[in-house]
């Protein structure tokens, strides 16, 4: 698979939301970007709070922009706060360096990223991982 198809993005979305239901999480927003950073698919469950879509997008975008899952960005922000702050300034505030942004890989090929927001960052990440794995792809959370 060279590109992230809408069909695959839907599988990722459905499985991520199914995982959220299984874990009885707060309402989530799931955003899926292709390798270019272009929105492929996004959905908000009923009851999400106001900024969740922007946060989910920022988690996915940050993972793509930096080439690592947002868990790794979170770690880097703790170790090199000035660096992540500077990068986020260059990115016009578009990065959200906390877990929940996961790269979608097909072998060594980057297909895109999933960003999830609405519950704890660890639970958001678990849903992204479940979605990617359900689509038969490899996840890189960092």
């Amino acid at each position: 698979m060279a590109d992230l198809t809408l069909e695959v993005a839907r599988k990722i979305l459905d499985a991520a939301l199914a995982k959220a239901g299984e874990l009885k999480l707060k309402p989530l927003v799931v955003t899926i970007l292709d390798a270019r950073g272009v929105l492929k698919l996004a959905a908000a469950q009923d009851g999400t709070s106001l900024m969740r879509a922007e946060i989910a997008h920022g988690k996915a975008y940050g993972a793509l922009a930096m080439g690592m899952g947002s868990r790794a960005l979170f770690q880097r922000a703790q170790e090199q706060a000035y660096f992540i702050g500077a990068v986020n300034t260059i990115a016009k505030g578009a990065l959200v360096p906390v877990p929940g942004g996961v790269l979608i890989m097909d072998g060594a090929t980057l297909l895109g990223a999933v960003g999830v927001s609405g519950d704890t960052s660890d639970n958001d990440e678990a849903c992204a991982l479940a979605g990617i794995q359900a689509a038969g792809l490899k996840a890189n959370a960092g």
Side-chain angles (χ1 to χ4, degrees), residues 12-122:
I12 293 169
L13 172 70
D14 290 344
L17 293 177
K19 184 68 171 180
E22 173 189 321
L23 297 174
K24 299 183 181 355
L25 302 183
K26 295 176 184 173
L28 301 181
V29 173
V30 178
T31 298
I32 303 170
L33 306 178
D34 68 15
R36 303 169 301 149
V38 174
L39 180 65
K40 196 68 173 185
L41 191 61
Q45 292 181 303
D46 295 341
T48 58
S49 59
L50 185 59
M51 294 291 298
R52 291 299 170 188
E54 290 84 355
I55 295 167
H57 187 276
K59 289 180 180 185
Y61 181 81
L64 280 175
M66 296 299 291
M68 63 183 78
S70 62
R71 180 169 292 277
L73 291 176
F74 176 70
Q75 184 65 36
R76 188 123 186 227
Q78 292 177 348
E79 295 168 2
Q80 298 178 311
Y82 291 116
F83 175 75
I84 294 298
V87 170
N88 208 5
T89 297
I90 294 166
K92 297 181 173 105
L95 306 181
V96 179
V98 296
V102 181
L103 296 174
I104 306 166
M105 306 295 296
D106 185 11
T109 303
L110 176 65
L111 298 181
V114 178
V116 180
S117 181
D119 204 273
T120 67
S121 293
D122 288 338

